[in-house]
Amino acid sequence: MPNDKITSLDVAKRAGVSQSAVSRVFTKGASASQKTIDKVRKAAKELGYRPNVLARSLITGRSRIVGLVVAYLDNYFYPVALQKLSNALKEEGYHVMVFMASDTTKDIERVVDEMLDYQVDAIVAASVPLSSDLAGRCRDEGIPLVFFNRSQAGENLTSVTADNYAGGKEIARFLAAHHPERIGYIAGFEGASTQRDREAGFLDGLNAAGREVSSRTVGNFNTQETRAAALAMFSTPRHPDAVFVANDHMAFTVMDVLRSELHLTVPGDVILVGYDDVPPAVWAGYSLTTVRQRTGRMVEETVKVLMNAIATGEAPVANIKIAGPLIVRGSAPAPKGWAG
Amino acid sequence: MPNDKITSLDVAKRAGVSQSAVSRVFTKGASASQKTIDKVRKAAKELGYRPNVLARSLITGRSRIVGLVVAYLDNYFYPVALQKLSNALKEEGYHVMVFMASDTTKDIERVVDEMLDYQVDAIVAASVPLSSDLAGRCRDEGIPLVFFNRSQAGENLTSVTADNYAGGKEIARFLAAHHPERIGYIAGFEGASTQRDREAGFLDGLNAAGREVSSRTVGNFNTQETRAAALAMFSTPRHPDAVFVANDHMAFTVMDVLRSELHLTVPGDVILVGYDDVPPAVWAGYSLTTVRQRTGRMVEETVKVLMNAIATGEAPVANIKIAGPLIVRGSAPAPKGWAG
DNA sequence: AAGAATAATGCAATCGAATGCAGAATAACG
DNA sequence: CGTTATTCTGCATTCGATTGCATTATTCTT
């Protein structure tokens, strides 16, 4: 109640200069004499003044807010990414506003509206399918948009993803080297580019090794369906003895089903590989062999693209792919002669 | 490039009304005739107009932004909470801006400054120790502040937490009912109220049952130290056969150490209870008995308190505790005659 | 149908800072 | 030391809305 809103004018009065002078001191790139700077800084400190970002945004037309749209936060991958993104943007003087979107088109549309209302300077869409007209809206408004962990084929949009195709291929090479009897694949949500690319790489890789998938079911990136998919695949005597599950979270579920419900051992009866390398993959209870998503690099690239787009005003169309290594752990040990 | 910034003035022109009229149509609580509303809505739709939230904030003095400070996002508990908080606030027309803070005082101070710069209407501090002068700053600025999942003793601040004391006590009752030989406790970071309250409840509960802790080590809420703490506690032959670990993530680590490194079985050799009920607790690989934090309720209460504080302008001092049930799973099955 | 009460509207000021412009102060230079 | 080139500074305007006030249009009463 004592001090209600210190404005640049208050500081100006106390420092004996004009309001513009105060503004200039706090606007980098503006010119002010050392004497003025000192006076203003001193007065500002005494009053506890800090520029009102919102007011500044109004006139500069930049809010320094980046909108992040996410559908789920319950896949470990996203919180990790969010954390890194937030930190990286902080370095650039930007901040993240979180927008949750359920998967319905209607909802996503509303979310985009809300982001525009807040005048976000850029949008990061993490695994959220923005329709092309929504993406167009953003382009029209001049707001750079990056798809994180999803690419949208055909349309010239910017995306940053893991090199899912290469990863899938590497997993194929790895599993084939074990010379298993039968190879299975448990797919994620078919609409997701991650799913498609991983599978495509996997199939091509198997092909190159003269192998193919003997069994395929769909887990849709959720626990319930994954459990069903695992049961369907492994309830028969001639089940696969090697399986690639499209992401880590599904892989955990599959492993649980194998061990607890079907009394199969991993890696004894079945060797199993996931994708993402989320934190629990390293936990001894799972010790999952998987391909790492290099979240740090992905975030770095995302920030770089965004900052560049904001600076130049023109969004570069690019599909950036970050390759990640295969991390060999207990669920699928290295085959004889495996060099990595 | 075609349409650069549609303002209320553009809409006004097209609808043949004054700019104030447009504003009134989009400001709820303002009066406008049906005719005007229709004209404006139509023009707005045609032009794709939406009010600029930042401009509005400037004059109303409310940004409709809630600042969330978090230190870690790598404990599953926080992403879940964030997701719920974001959704709950969306209902109220607010949005969450995320601020990551490392544990250093300096950094937290900077973060608070940044939040104030953005004119946030309220602050939620999740497990971050805001010093009392920082809290005072917020109070002075009239910004309601809620501690989420941490309480700060003595100082009259608002907090929303689980009823950690009661939870700890219940765990004691539960473990005592197993009549174990020796009972252990692995503590979290001693500066955290969650840690202190859980332990206090646990000790009092044991006491009431005529038991006490035979071994205590500290895991500090992080993996490395927890592993060391577990090794220290269980490397001796007369190790505890029942243990309460201060949170789930540490409990997973402990379980991993017991099983993979010390070749002890859970629950055969040791029964083990955690706290939080984060998603992996239900995974078959762990199947952890734990006390649930009712995140949904906690978030609800947080939002309620904040909205009320924003509306009335006066922050109510309250320490809201949400009790949560003990969830019995495989790591510590129900003892004979356990009713819950 | 006239007068009172209420609702709707436009005008103009305002929120807090950034910035173009023109004039003042300082620096640079010969 | 006089000029010219720079750097500073203040004035006034602007960003895109909201809102108090005065005025006009409606609705309600009787």
Side-chain angles (χ1 to χ4, degrees):
Chain A
M1 35 198 93
N3 53 347
D4 238 270
K5 297 291 173 198
I6 315 285
T7 76
S8 58
L9 202 63
D10 299 325
V11 178
K13 283 210 191 87
R14 175 174 259 257
V17 298
S18 74
Q19 180 268 331
S20 335
V22 176
S23 169
R24 289 194 172 99
V25 170
F26 285 95
T27 312
K28 64 175 215 154
S31 81
S33 69
Q34 194 56 49
K35 213 169 62 184
T36 305
I37 293 180
D38 292 343
K39 280 191 297 184
V40 169
R41 282 245 130 82
K42 178 155 168 291
K45 178 147 291 178
E46 288 166 359
L47 293 173
Y49 167 80
R50 310 201 91 223
N52 179 327
V53 177
L54 265 34
R56 168 181 293 169
S57 300
L58 188 55
I59 196 153
T60 61
R62 327 200 132 300
S63 62
R64 305 194 82 85
I65 299 176
V66 172
L68 171 68
V69 207
V70 239
Y72 339 85
L73 239 36
D74 48 4
N75 177 338
Y76 239 129
F77 174 73
Y78 296 105
V80 172
L82 163 55
Q83 174 161 3
K84 292 190 170 149
L85 184 67
S86 172
N87 281 327
L89 284 174
K90 186 189 326 199
E91 298 301 311
E92 308 280 346
Y94 282 75
H95 286 271
V96 176
M97 188 172 270
V98 177
F99 295 81
M100 291 288 178
S102 55
D103 259 338
T104 69
T105 322
K106 205 69 199 161
D107 195 50
I108 294 179
E109 188 162 353
R110 212 198 53 199
V111 163
V112 171
D113 282 342
E114 288 177 3
M115 289 197 289
L116 298 180
D117 291 352
Y118 271 98
Q119 313 292 116
V120 298
D121 286 348
I123 295 178
V124 176
S127 299
V128 177
L130 256 60
S131 63
S132 41
D133 36 311
L134 279 182
R137 275 266 296 292
C138 296
R139 190 195 310 282
D140 289 351
E141 303 259 359
I143 299 175
L145 167 63
V146 170
F147 286 87
F148 188 86
N149 200 35
R150 280 284 187 288
S151 61
Q152 220 119 324
E155 346 198 7
N156 12 349
L157 301 170
T158 306
S159 66
V160 176
T161 65
D163 191 344
N164 292 300
Y165 179 86
K169 205 161 182 175
E170 175 75 352
I171 291 172
R173 196 165 75 87
F174 177 82
L175 286 184
H178 277 91
H179 302 295
E181 300 271 323
R182 285 171 293 276
I183 302 177
Y185 177 69
I186 296 186
F189 168 57
E190 314 250 15
S193 65
T194 41
Q195 145 59 30
R196 288 196 308 268
D197 296 348
R198 286 168 194 183
E199 181 166 16
F202 186 58
L203 295 183
D204 286 0
L206 287 185
N207 204 291
R211 299 295 309 257
E212 56 184 14
V213 159
S214 74
S215 170
R216 175 188 194 274
T217 55
V218 179
N220 250 330
F221 289 145
N222 74 59
T223 309
Q224 284 220 344
E225 294 181 62
T226 301
R227 175 166 173 273
L231 285 173
M233 181 177 287
F234 290 97
S235 291
T236 117
R238 294 179 54 78
H239 61 72
D241 51 340
V243 59
F244 169 32
V245 184
N247 82 356
D248 281 357
H249 273 258
M250 293 202 306
F252 300 140
T253 301
V254 172
M255 220 188 287
D256 284 344
V257 169
L258 292 180
R259 289 172 168 168
S260 305
E261 302 195 49
L262 300 173
H263 307 293
L264 293 168
T265 63
V266 176
D269 297 319
V270 179
I271 61 177
L272 187 153
V273 178
Y275 206 118
D276 280 350
D277 197 27
V278 293
V282 76
W283 297 354
Y286 292 98
S287 185
L288 181 68
T289 293
T290 188
V291 173
R292 175 168 298 164
Q293 297 232 53
R294 306 188 56 204
T295 334
R297 288 284 333 276
M298 288 170 66
V299 165
E300 242 172 59
E301 289 297 329
T302 303
V303 171
K304 193 192 293 178
V305 169
L306 288 182
M307 291 304 119
N308 188 58
I310 289 175
T312 67
E314 202 49 59
V317 174
N319 282 70
I320 298 169
K321 293 192 203 309
I322 310 286
L326 177 74
I327 306 293
V328 179
R329 299 205 185 90
S331 75
K336 284 194 284 286
W338 179 260
Chain B
M1 38 197 87
N3 52 347
D4 241 273
K5 296 289 174 198
I6 316 286
T7 75
S8 58
L9 201 64
D10 300 326
V11 178
K13 282 210 190 89
R14 175 174 258 258
V17 298
S18 75
Q19 181 266 337
S20 335
V22 176
S23 169
R24 290 196 170 98
V25 169
F26 285 94
T27 313
K28 65 175 212 157
S31 80
S33 68
Q34 195 56 48
K35 213 169 61 186
T36 306
I37 293 179
D38 292 344
K39 280 191 297 186
V40 169
R41 282 247 129 82
K42 179 157 169 290
K45 178 147 290 178
E46 289 166 359
L47 294 174
Y49 168 80
R50 310 203 91 221
N52 180 326
V53 177
L54 266 34
R56 168 181 292 168
S57 300
L58 187 55
I59 194 154
T60 61
R62 328 200 129 301
S63 62
R64 307 196 79 85
I65 299 177
V66 172
L68 172 67
V69 206
V70 238
Y72 339 85
L73 238 35
D74 48 4
N75 177 338
Y76 239 128
F77 175 73
Y78 295 106
V80 171
L82 163 55
Q83 175 161 2
K84 292 191 169 148
L85 184 66
S86 172
N87 282 326
L89 285 174
K90 188 192 320 200
E91 298 300 311
E92 308 280 345
Y94 281 76
H95 286 272
V96 175
M97 188 171 269
V98 177
F99 296 82
M100 292 287 179
S102 53
D103 258 337
T104 68
T105 322
K106 204 69 200 159
D107 195 49
I108 294 180
E109 186 162 354
R110 213 198 53 199
V111 162
V112 171
D113 281 342
E114 288 177 3
M115 289 198 288
L116 298 181
D117 290 352
Y118 272 98
Q119 314 291 117
V120 298
D121 286 349
I123 295 177
V124 175
S127 299
V128 178
L130 255 62
S131 62
S132 41
D133 37 312
L134 280 182
R137 275 267 295 293
C138 297
R139 190 196 308 285
D140 288 351
E141 303 258 0
I143 299 175
L145 166 63
V146 170
F147 286 88
F148 188 86
N149 201 35
R150 280 284 187 290
S151 61
Q152 221 119 324
E155 346 199 8
N156 13 348
L157 301 169
T158 306
S159 67
V160 176
T161 64
D163 191 344
N164 292 300
Y165 179 86
K169 205 160 183 176
E170 175 74 352
I171 291 173
R173 197 166 75 87
F174 177 82
L175 287 184
H178 277 91
H179 302 295
E181 301 270 322
R182 285 170 293 277
I183 302 176
Y185 177 70
I186 297 186
F189 168 56
E190 314 249 13
S193 66
T194 41
Q195 145 59 30
R196 288 196 308 268
D197 295 347
R198 286 169 193 182
E199 180 166 17
F202 186 59
L203 296 183
D204 287 359
L206 287 185
N207 203 291
R211 300 294 310 256
E212 56 184 14
V213 159
S214 73
S215 169
R216 176 188 195 273
T217 55
V218 179
N220 251 331
F221 290 145
N222 75 59
T223 309
Q224 284 219 345
E225 295 181 60
T226 301
R227 175 166 173 272
L231 285 174
M233 181 177 288
F234 289 97
S235 291
T236 118
R238 296 180 51 78
H239 62 71
D241 51 341
V243 60
F244 169 33
V245 185
N247 82 358
D248 282 358
H249 274 259
M250 293 203 307
F252 299 140
T253 302
V254 172
M255 220 188 289
D256 284 344
V257 169
L258 291 180
R259 288 173 169 166
S260 305
E261 301 195 49
L262 301 174
H263 306 293
L264 293 168
T265 63
V266 175
D269 297 319
V270 180
I271 61 177
L272 186 154
V273 177
Y275 207 118
D276 281 350
D277 198 27
V278 293
V282 76
W283 297 355
Y286 292 99
S287 186
L288 181 68
T289 294
T290 188
V291 173
R292 176 168 296 163
Q293 296 233 52
R294 305 189 56 204
T295 334
R297 290 284 333 277
M298 288 170 66
V299 165
E300 241 172 62
E301 289 296 329
T302 303
V303 171
K304 193 193 292 179
V305 169
L306 288 182
M307 291 304 118
N308 187 58
I310 290 175
T312 66
E314 202 49 57
V317 173
N319 283 70
I320 298 170
K321 293 193 202 310
I322 311 285
L326 177 74
I327 308 291
V328 178
R329 299 204 184 90
S331 75
K336 283 194 284 289
W338 179 259

